[in-house]
Amino acid sequence: MERTYIKDLKKKVGAEVLLKGWVDIRRDHGKLIFIDLRDVSGQVQMVVLPNHTEAHTAAEAIRPEWVVEVTGTVNQRPEKMVKAGVLNGDLELEVTGITVVGTAKELPFEKEADLNFDTYLDHLPLTLRTERSKSIFRIQASIIQAFREYLVAQNFTEIQAPKLIGDDAEGGANSFNIEYFGHTAHLAQSPQFYKQIMVGIFEKVFTTGNVYRAEKHSTTRHLNEYTSLDLEMGFIDSFRDICSTENKLLAHIMKKLSETRSEDFKALGSTIPTVPDSIPTLKLREAQAIIKKEFGEDCSNEPDLEPQHERWICEYAKKTWDSDFIFITHFPLSKRPMYTYEDPADPGYAAGFDLLFRGIEITTGGQRIHDYDNLVTAIKGKGLEPEKFSYYLQAFKFGMPPHGGLGLGLERLTAKLIGLDNVKEATLFPRDLNRIDNLLSK
Ligand code: AMO
């Protein structure tokens, strides 16, 4: 018999079916044994009656998380047993046969138990099986899918950027060194150099993948390995083209999420934001003036916004423009990486931006220097040696158009969309200062 997925049972009332899945809950009432069976598509209640002797004996033995194949008849539940609003709440499978295909040891806790975060992380192979986790990571999968779908439709070419690299792109001391056949290599902090090089080949490119930051702090917004959604595009007029692309991209992502994942959002108690046609934009110094006026803190001499400043500006954007998003532009050039393009209309400031969403920075982007000589000068200006970047510099030696792009942090976007307190809750297997799967101190 061909397998039926649990979500399709409603089309099979009265029929004999074969289901495959995990035992979610088992309730033994002596003669009657009830089992909730779960597969990727949903859940259904099954009942095992004593007249199906073999199935009944098997049902007596099985325990939560055992993997079983079950045959049975799909019955409509009696009126008074119907659970309204629940998938298959009006159905029940009367079991005729059970084959155990995988057993499970006793669980350390009930799968849906309310756990402290470390216990949750210690047991991810089990805790990711909860409905809550599944909703979070289905939403995340759909974000990537929508990101890809939108950019492909705009004639971007998807590329794969290496994770083993010679020198870091973002500057600073935040790269992991690794021993590489007697040499020192690094784990990529971003696909920056490669996406720029590929503009010279495909004009418009995007990539999604893990990147690595050796940041030695433990916060609710930092991971040491995260997923960066990157794009880079040639022949731009200014960094505003990148803002506008991100604006439309986000609108597409939210549209897709509301079409495909509204059940997951409902289950998680979250709402999908509306993306304004034109996301409000402030220069950093304007944002700082607002913070001073509205929230009484003078941060006008700082080169960046602190987390509290980001929260305040988002609060202001919500109140003033009813927007969950706000672009902050024109950070001091001195604080941006060497590839950053200076805004000719605002000397000393970057032709670039951060995008804030519900209180946190989710994107950095901007225009890049595309002239070889200017780039060499900028590299030297940062106290770096151009020779170390000679491989990357070839792209510029051999002709590059004005271009720019952005990097969007997938976990931060997911976390803020859903309203999760910690970015690690939006990471399947988070790596942080204290943990690679298990606590490092163990
Ligand atoms: P940046 O370093 O600002 O820019 O990173 C871009 C976005 O990546 C996310 N992010 C992180 N998420 C989780 N944990 C971290 N430790 C972490 N660090 C960064 C944030 C951030 O906005 N090459 C540029 C992008 C570009 O200009 O195209 C870059 O990597 O959401």
Side-chain angles (χ1 to χ4, degrees):
M1 206 186 317
E2 209 177 297
R3 176 185 184 185
T4 298
Y5 281 94
I6 289 175
K7 73 172 168 32
D8 297 326
L9 282 176
K10 52 184 169 295
K11 294 181 229 155
K12 302 241 170 143
V13 176
E16 174 94 1
V17 293
L18 166 67
L19 303 181
K20 301 184 181 190
W22 286 261
V23 172
D24 207 65
I25 297 173
R26 176 183 163 283
R27 288 178 300 274
D28 196 335
H29 291 209
K31 283 188 180 153
L32 298 186
I33 301 175
F34 291 95
I35 297 165
D36 288 349
L37 188 75
R38 180 182 90 233
D39 72 10
V40 67
S41 72
Q43 212 160 301
V44 66
Q45 177 173 286
M46 313 191 298
V47 59
V48 195
L49 305 172
N51 54 323
H52 298 295
T53 329
E54 276 182 36
H56 200 268
T57 308
E60 280 171 346
I62 63 178
R63 293 291 177 268
E65 299 310 305
W66 283 36
V67 188
V68 290
E69 297 185 0
V70 179
T71 50
T73 313
V74 187
N75 291 333
Q76 204 79 51
R77 282 200 209 178
E79 194 81 44
K80 60 177 192 317
M81 308 295 276
V82 169
K83 278 195 196 155
V86 175
L87 174 72
N88 297 323
D90 56 343
L91 301 180
E92 191 170 70
L93 191 88
E94 186 183 327
V95 175
T96 51
I98 298 180
T99 308
V100 172
V101 295
T103 59
K105 307 284 181 221
E106 197 181 333
L107 307 189
F109 40 75
E110 279 186 29
K111 189 169 61 71
E112 298 286 344
D114 209 2
L115 303 172
N116 83 38
F117 196 45
D118 270 316
T119 310
Y120 163 84
L121 292 176
D122 283 341
H123 296 89
L124 284 170
L126 176 63
T127 51
L128 285 172
R129 294 181 181 192
T130 60
E131 290 310 311
R132 178 182 157 78
S133 290
K134 284 198 276 185
S135 285
I136 294 171
F137 294 106
R138 269 196 298 258
I139 288 172
Q140 188 162 76
S142 295
I143 294 173
I144 302 184
Q145 215 177 329
F147 176 83
R148 180 172 280 126
E149 187 179 77
Y150 179 78
L151 294 173
V152 167
Q154 305 300 314
N155 292 320
F156 281 72
T157 302
E158 180 163 5
I159 60 162
Q160 307 302 322
K163 302 292 173 274
L164 283 172
I165 58 161
D167 246 306
D168 66 272
E170 304 303 331
N174 291 340
S175 83
F176 284 105
N177 293 347
I178 51 166
E179 199 279 325
Y180 192 75
F181 305 124
H183 302 270
T184 300
H186 304 269
L187 290 179
Q189 291 174 303
S190 84
Q192 185 66 34
F193 288 173
Y194 300 94
K195 63 178 181 167
Q196 284 190 262
I197 292 171
M198 291 309 292
V199 166
I201 291 102
F202 290 134
E203 295 189 21
K204 299 203 282 186
V205 296
F206 74 91
T207 183
T208 70
N210 289 358
V211 294
Y212 301 86
R213 303 280 169 112
E215 282 155 342
K216 275 199 168 173
H217 42 240
S218 191
T219 74
T220 56
R221 51 169 49 204
H222 289 98
L223 296 156
N224 294 107
E225 177 180 60
Y226 73 92
T227 308
S228 189
L229 306 184
D230 276 85
L231 64 87
E232 199 71 17
M233 52 201 272
F235 300 101
I236 59 169
D237 292 325
S238 91
F239 78 93
R240 308 246 178 231
D241 294 350
I242 312 296
C243 295
S244 146
T245 298
E246 180 159 38
N247 203 148
K248 287 183 238 158
L249 170 64
L250 285 169
H252 178 80
I253 292 175
M254 299 313 152
K255 180 167 163 277
K256 273 285 155 188
L257 289 178
S258 48
E259 283 166 12
T260 58
R261 298 271 74 99
S262 53
E263 284 300 313
D264 288 315
F265 275 91
K266 207 166 107 196
L268 294 164
S270 329
T271 50
I272 302 174
T274 310
V275 182
D277 290 341
S278 180
I279 293 175
T281 301
L282 292 171
K283 287 190 176 183
L284 174 65
R285 73 202 81 141
E286 292 168 335
Q288 289 169 329
I290 288 169
I291 290 169
K292 189 171 172 190
K293 182 159 176 282
E294 300 281 323
F295 302 97
E297 189 174 310
D298 186 1
C299 55
S300 44
N301 288 326
E302 291 176 30
D304 205 347
L305 296 175
E306 294 294 322
Q308 181 57 45
H309 304 149
E310 294 182 350
R311 286 193 285 272
W312 279 334
I313 280 298
C314 285
E315 195 182 314
Y316 181 82
K318 187 72 184 164
K319 190 178 73 183
T320 314
W321 298 291
D322 192 25
S323 175
D324 286 310
F325 300 89
I326 180 160
F327 284 118
I328 306 296
T329 68
H330 295 88
F331 290 82
L333 206 53
S334 55
K335 287 289 167 185
R336 296 300 238 204
M338 51 77 169
Y339 52 77
T340 308
Y341 193 85
E342 183 174 20
D343 187 347
D346 200 347
Y349 293 91
F353 63 90
D354 278 359
L355 178 67
L356 313 187
F357 171 53
R358 293 182 175 167
I360 195 174
E361 174 207 314
I362 58 163
T363 299
T364 294
Q367 183 164 355
R368 328 296 188 186
I369 301 172
H370 65 280
D371 176 81
Y372 174 79
D373 294 324
N374 291 345
L375 188 52
V376 170
T377 307
I379 291 172
K380 287 184 185 156
K382 293 275 178 198
L384 302 166
E385 296 163 33
E387 298 69 41
K388 283 202 163 171
F389 301 96
S390 59
Y391 190 83
Y392 161 69
L393 280 169
Q394 288 181 82
F396 303 86
K397 229 181 206 173
F398 304 133
M400 279 288 273
H403 66 282
L406 60 82
L408 169 60
L410 176 67
E411 295 80 0
R412 287 192 186 179
L413 173 62
T414 313
K416 283 293 152 182
L417 263 179
I418 297 171
L420 305 174
D421 293 335
N422 193 330
V423 82
K424 286 173 211 155
E425 284 186 75
T427 312
L428 276 174
F429 300 103
R431 273 79 176 96
D432 67 20
L433 203 53
N434 305 312
R435 181 183 289 277
I436 290 184
D437 296 339
N438 298 308
L439 283 174
L440 296 169
S441 56
K442 268 188 188 168

